[in-house]
Amino acid sequence: MNLRAVWAIYKMEMARAFRTVLQSIVSPVISTSLYFVVFGSAIGSRITEIDGISYGAFIVPGLIMLSLLTQSISNASFAIYFPKFVGSIYELLSAPVSYLEIIIAYVGGAATKSIILGLIILATASLFVPLTIEHPFWMLSFLVLTSVTFSLFGFIIGIWARSFEQLQLVPLLIITPLTFLGGSFYSIDMLPGIWRTVTLFNPVLYLVSGFRWSFYGKSDVSIGISLGMTVVFLLLCIAIVAWIFRTGYRLRN
């Protein structure tokens, strides 16, 4: 493996994040803080506890996951779409760099930025409510696994997209609604029977539930199922990316 090439692309992506720190870091933190204030104040005054956890603390994992999913997708999709947009993708594809090295560099850069953002949001949330992390190893594992998985997903979207509008289509119209409806701000046990069953088909539920378990030891679904669903989605994204580079889908035209 050409580690110099991987490091060069990775360093370029990280440098871009620091050049746009207002958009990459500050804006998501402010948005999450506003979510926290609005939901924590408005709903928290009516729902004091869920499963013995104060409502303010209960929504923290969901807020982190909301930012983690959207930022992982946005970072990775823009990173690979922009070279397509300006035409420099052909130089990258013709360079002595393997497809695996390209994926590691771009996905690694996007995932790193998302992990840093998630930790910053966690630190910010601790200023509002007292937090406990019962399983720090699994918290970091879910953080890394989710960031890598959805950075791969964003990489796929960046290759598929033909315009900047399409880059925002999936995060805004699919991922964000699924996150809101995936137990980020409530327990699915609070839902009527039919809607609880419907929610179980929401893949984001398993990410939020597993991440919340790492904090408080309580979740809407089994931790094993949450972890398994995340790994399945990761493997699916890897398979799609492999197919894209094998066929040249929207890369060579």
Side-chain angles (χ1 to χ4, degrees):
M1 179 178 292
N2 189 346
L3 295 180
R4 286 189 177 182
V6 173
W7 174 248
I9 299 174
Y10 177 86
K11 187 169 65 172
M12 178 185 67
E13 287 303 305
M14 294 305 296
R16 182 169 60 83
F18 290 115
R19 285 197 304 269
T20 58
V21 66
L22 187 64
Q23 178 183 356
S24 301
I25 303 295
V26 178
S27 179
V29 169
I30 292 176
S31 299
T32 303
S33 299
L34 290 175
Y35 276 125
F36 187 84
V37 170
V38 171
F39 280 91
S41 300
I43 301 178
S45 61
R46 298 174 180 270
I47 305 175
T48 56
E49 289 187 351
I50 297 179
D51 292 335
I53 307 166
S54 69
Y55 185 74
F58 180 86
I59 65 175
V60 169
L63 287 173
I64 296 175
M65 194 59 65
L66 174 62
S67 294
L68 203 66
L69 300 186
T70 54
Q71 291 300 312
S72 294
I73 293 174
S74 298
N75 289 333
S77 60
F78 181 82
I80 193 61
Y81 176 78
F82 190 73
K84 285 175 53 185
F85 179 74
V86 300
S88 60
I89 187 69
Y90 302 111
E91 298 177 5
L92 180 64
L93 294 175
S94 61
V97 182
S98 69
Y99 295 153
L100 178 61
E101 291 162 354
I102 293 173
I103 295 169
I104 291 175
Y106 278 111
V107 172
T112 300
K113 288 182 279 187
S114 299
I115 292 169
I116 293 173
L117 177 61
L119 294 175
I120 292 175
I121 292 175
L122 177 62
T124 303
S126 67
L127 300 177
F128 292 92
V129 293
L131 292 175
T132 59
I133 303 176
E134 291 191 9
H135 307 283
F137 171 79
W138 287 110
M139 187 277 288
L140 290 174
S141 297
F142 268 103
L143 197 68
V144 173
L145 190 59
T146 303
S147 298
V148 172
T149 300
F150 279 82
S151 293
L152 275 169
F153 187 51
F155 191 85
I156 294 169
I157 293 173
I159 294 175
W160 164 78
R162 294 186 183 274
S163 65
F164 284 101
E165 289 76 13
Q166 288 184 342
L167 284 181
Q168 301 300 320
L169 189 65
V170 174
L172 289 178
L173 298 184
I174 298 179
I175 299 301
T176 299
L178 286 178
T179 306
F180 273 90
L181 298 174
S184 295
F185 304 105
Y186 55 85
S187 170
I188 64 170
D189 291 333
M190 301 168 64
L191 300 175
I194 182 63
W195 289 111
R196 187 182 187 280
T197 302
V198 170
T199 305
L200 291 175
F201 289 93
N202 181 350
V204 177
L205 165 69
Y206 301 94
L207 302 175
V208 174
S209 181
F211 196 53
R212 181 172 290 127
W213 173 87
S214 71
F215 279 77
Y216 311 118
K218 298 180 180 180
S219 61
D220 290 322
V221 295
S222 166
I223 179 62
I225 296 177
S226 296
L227 185 60
M229 291 291 289
T230 307
V231 172
V232 166
F233 190 55
L234 172 63
L235 295 176
L236 179 62
C237 289
I238 292 174
I240 294 174
V241 170
W243 173 81
I244 286 173
F245 279 106
R246 187 173 65 250
T247 61
Y249 173 76
R250 294 198 176 178
L251 286 175
R252 297 172 183 157
N253 52 28

